[in-house]
Each structure stands twice: as structure tokens, then as C-alpha cells.
Amino acid sequence: MSKPTIVVMEGDQTGQELLEQALRVLSPEVTGYDLAFQRFDLSLENRRKTNNQIVFDAAAAMRESGLGLKAATITPETKGDVGSPNAILRKEINGTVIVRTGRRIPGIAPPVGVYSPISVVRMAVDDAYGAKEWREGADGDEYAFRTEKISRSVCKGVAKYAFQHAKKLNAKVFGGPKFTVSPIYEGMLKEEMDEAAKQYPDVQYEPQLIDATYALLLVKAGEPLVIPALNRDGDCLSDLVLQMFGSIAGAESMLLALDDNFHPNVIMAEAPHGTAPSLFGKNVANPMAMILAGAALLGYHDDSHAHTVSRAIYESTLEAVMSGTRTSDLGGSSTTTEFTEDIINRVRTKLEVWSTFGETM
């Protein structure tokens, strides 16, 4: 088996600092797992310098390797600037779904009584993002318009992967779009959810309108859930879900391109938070989400050693928090680098102990 290559997409401000922490944990010197890293500078400065060509180059490399790890990047607000690299990456690798999973962080009391994991499986493209927008004046007033679109193929991918993910987690597929108000547009996703439910009769299925989904989350917080969603609904919903468990920096975000059987064939992992300019250079930001993103990436690679390292990183990260190594957002005083160093020590110890017993999983 050839050495796996992770396409590393560098970013801006705190996003780049946290990426470097994740790479420290993934280092072969720590894990004993031989990885190659192909780096691309996706900082705002370099995207402007290359007129976004660097983003297209990174996407091409991801299509070849199948694995990507991306730092948070700045999206300029000025019209006509380089825009969001995420939009380009999603299109170029044919990204279909984004998966974000909120889970209990050991030792951290969540703001609400949630215990079981909640995954949001959302569209990675179209919907409100990338919609055509314009304004017109008439009758002494001004009107704003927006033309959105979604596709049957992406709806099918979201629905099918949601049921696959729920089966793997022994979870219920829950929620959905506002199909009663928008039966043509949002109803397309509901149709594909219903069809996928027929193909996975052993997976519990409880469709709800998006507003009811929000309202019922606190009531349903005792059971594992997988929520399929439109692009913008899922973006908002995943931020809420992650914060329900204590911190938006407590879980990874996965962009998946799916093959003809709706299984991931290109995976890009990142943290769900932004570049946090107010924390830049202070060594206080929480690297947990970026470190878990790296672990999740190895979990998708078809190799038992990679899965072992993935498990070691996940367990070590959660154990570190449980033992009291916490950044300020989790109520602690550890620095970014102290948090990472604790995880590195735990990963090394864990892998050494497991090797003694010949464990590979």
C-alpha cells in the first residue's frame, strides 16, 4: 500500500496556528504512521496573488489523494475580491455533504441536557449560498430578490448518506426541511429522505419541519440523531448543535464527495469555526476541533493502522479534557500548545501500550 498523502491547506490568522497544532499530532514521529503532507498556501494574501489558482491546485491534489486538511481562511467582504475558497473547493471535488457531529466533551457540563451525539448532514453546495441576488425599486420602495437552486442528485446524496451515517451510529434520522411551505423546492429533499427511508427500513425515521426540529432538539437530546438539512439550514443548525455540547471548537467538520454508491471518495476535514482574529498570536485558542479533524480524516482511510491512530487521537483528546487540560473556552487555563503537548504525550503512550498487546483497533 502506498504512503497516504494528506493535502494540507494553510489558512489565515488563528486558523493557521491551529492547523500547525493538528499537524504536530499527526506527525509520524508521534504516531509511527508514515504520512506524506502536500502543502498549499490558501492564505488570503496568496489567493489574491494567484487569483485563486492555488485553490484550484489544492482541489486537484485532493481529487488525487482523497484526503485534505484545511485551516480556517478569511473570506473578504468586498465584491470582486477572491471570495471564499470553500465554495471553489466544494465545487472542484464535487463535494455533496458536510457532516458535523456534536458529542459530549468529558468533564464539561453542556449548557443543556444533551448526552447522545447529534450529527447534522447538510448540503455542501447550492441553496442560499451562491444564489443570484439583486434589488429593484418600484412604487417608492425597494425590493430584494434571490434565486436559489438545489438539485435532485445532491438531495439524494444528503438523504442516502444521512441514513448510512445513522445506521453506523445506531441513530435516528430526524428533522428535515420546511416542505409544507415549500413543496416544490424544499420538498425535493423530503422526497429523497422518504425514498432513502424505504431503502433503510432498520433505521428509525422521524421527519420534522425545520422549525420543529429546532424546537424539539432539547426534548430529543437523550437519543442519537442524524439530521439531514438544506445548505443554510444545516449551517445554522450545526452551529447550534455544537454549542449545545459546550463549544463550537469541540468537534470537526467533514466535507465529503460521494461515489456512485454514496460512499465517500474524497474527504476534506476542517474545524467548523473561523479565523478568530481576536485570538491570533495569543496562544489561547482551542485546537481541539482541528486535532479531531485530523483524526477523523485517518478514520476514513482504508487502513487498519490509520484507524488505530485515529482512535488514539480521539481518545487522547477527550481524556486530556477530562483530566483538566482545557483552554479558556472550556473553563480552563491551558494554552494552545500545552493542550496539544498533552495530547501528543497521551497518543504516544496509548499507541505504545496497544502495540504491547498487539492491538490494531
Side-chain angles (χ1 to χ4, degrees):
M1 181 178 295
S2 61
K3 180 191 301 188
T5 298
I6 294 179
V7 175
V8 176
M9 288 156 280
E10 300 172 354
D12 296 294
Q13 298 172 340
T14 309
Q16 178 61 25
E17 292 178 339
L18 299 183
L19 171 67
E20 297 297 345
Q21 300 306 307
L23 293 176
R24 289 178 62 200
V25 177
L26 289 173
S27 168
E29 286 73 25
V30 173
T31 66
Y33 186 60
D34 196 11
L35 283 170
F37 299 100
Q38 187 177 4
R39 299 181 74 129
F40 293 84
D41 180 4
L42 267 58
S43 66
L44 178 58
E45 179 183 6
N46 201 43
R47 281 180 280 136
R48 284 171 171 164
K49 179 181 178 181
T50 64
N51 194 27
N52 273 334
Q53 183 58 49
I54 190 67
V55 185
F56 288 96
D57 293 344
M62 263 200 295
R63 290 196 302 269
E64 183 175 345
S65 76
L67 302 173
L69 184 64
K70 179 184 174 294
T73 48
I74 295 172
T75 298
E77 298 179 2
T78 305
K79 186 177 181 180
D81 208 330
V82 289
S84 168
N86 288 343
I88 297 172
L89 293 169
R90 292 170 190 176
K91 181 179 179 181
E92 290 297 307
I93 69 168
N94 195 28
T96 301
V97 301
I98 296 172
V99 183
R100 294 177 180 174
T101 300
R103 61 179 73 88
R104 282 296 304 273
I105 304 173
I108 303 299
V112 293
V114 288
Y115 296 94
S116 299
I118 302 174
S119 293
V120 178
V121 178
R122 68 179 251 227
M123 296 177 178
V125 293
D126 296 334
D127 193 36
Y129 301 147
K132 179 182 178 182
E133 296 183 326
W134 70 98
R135 294 178 183 176
E136 296 178 5
D139 304 322
D141 204 347
E142 186 178 24
Y143 299 87
F145 299 86
R146 181 169 65 204
T147 303
E148 302 175 5
K149 68 176 177 66
I150 55 176
S151 67
R152 176 72 65 181
S153 61
V154 172
C155 288
K156 186 186 295 289
V158 168
K160 291 269 286 189
Y161 189 79
F163 275 85
Q164 290 178 9
H165 193 60
K167 184 174 182 178
K168 180 180 178 181
L169 299 181
N170 194 25
K172 174 190 288 184
V173 174
F174 178 81
K178 191 82 169 180
F179 59 89
T180 52
V181 172
S182 176
I184 302 299
Y185 183 89
E186 302 199 19
M188 184 180 285
L189 176 57
K190 175 60 163 52
E191 291 165 9
E192 291 300 329
M193 289 167 56
D194 292 345
E195 186 60 32
K198 297 176 186 177
Q199 299 170 26
Y200 293 86
D202 53 336
V203 175
Q204 293 185 72
Y205 177 43
E206 186 179 330
Q208 296 284 350
L209 301 177
I210 184 62
D211 50 344
T213 301
Y214 275 102
L216 291 171
L217 267 180
L218 301 184
V219 179
K220 296 287 184 180
E223 56 183 315
L225 303 174
V226 174
I227 307 174
L230 298 170
N231 199 344
R232 191 171 67 172
D233 285 349
D235 194 1
C236 299
L237 190 62
S238 59
D239 282 359
L240 171 68
V241 165
L242 295 183
Q243 196 61 55
M244 284 170 60
F245 287 87
S247 174
I248 195 172
E252 68 281 1
S253 178
M254 309 300 293
L255 170 66
L256 309 178
L258 306 177
D259 62 19
D260 293 340
N261 294 316
F262 301 97
H263 297 138
N265 58 8
V266 182
I267 303 100
M268 187 185 87
E270 60 184 330
H273 53 71
T275 59
S278 64
L279 303 180
F280 180 49
K282 297 180 181 179
N283 197 26
V284 296
N286 186 351
M288 184 175 178
M290 277 304 305
I291 290 171
L292 293 180
L297 204 59
L298 293 182
Y300 280 94
H301 187 54
D302 188 20
D303 177 58
S304 61
H305 192 178
H307 295 175
T308 300
V309 173
S310 174
R311 175 185 163 190
I313 295 172
Y314 266 110
E315 290 188 8
S316 296
T317 302
L318 297 176
E319 288 170 4
V321 176
M322 183 67 181
S323 71
T325 303
R326 304 169 186 172
T327 47
S328 59
D329 62 312
L330 297 178
S333 59
S334 299
T335 65
T336 305
T337 51
E338 286 171 347
F339 188 95
T340 304
E341 286 160 8
D342 191 357
I343 292 170
I344 287 172
N345 291 333
R346 291 173 185 273
V347 168
R348 282 180 166 145
T349 299
K350 195 177 292 288
L351 290 172
E352 180 64 27
V353 170
W354 288 352
S355 69
T356 301
F357 294 96
E359 291 193 24
T360 58
M361 284 297 292

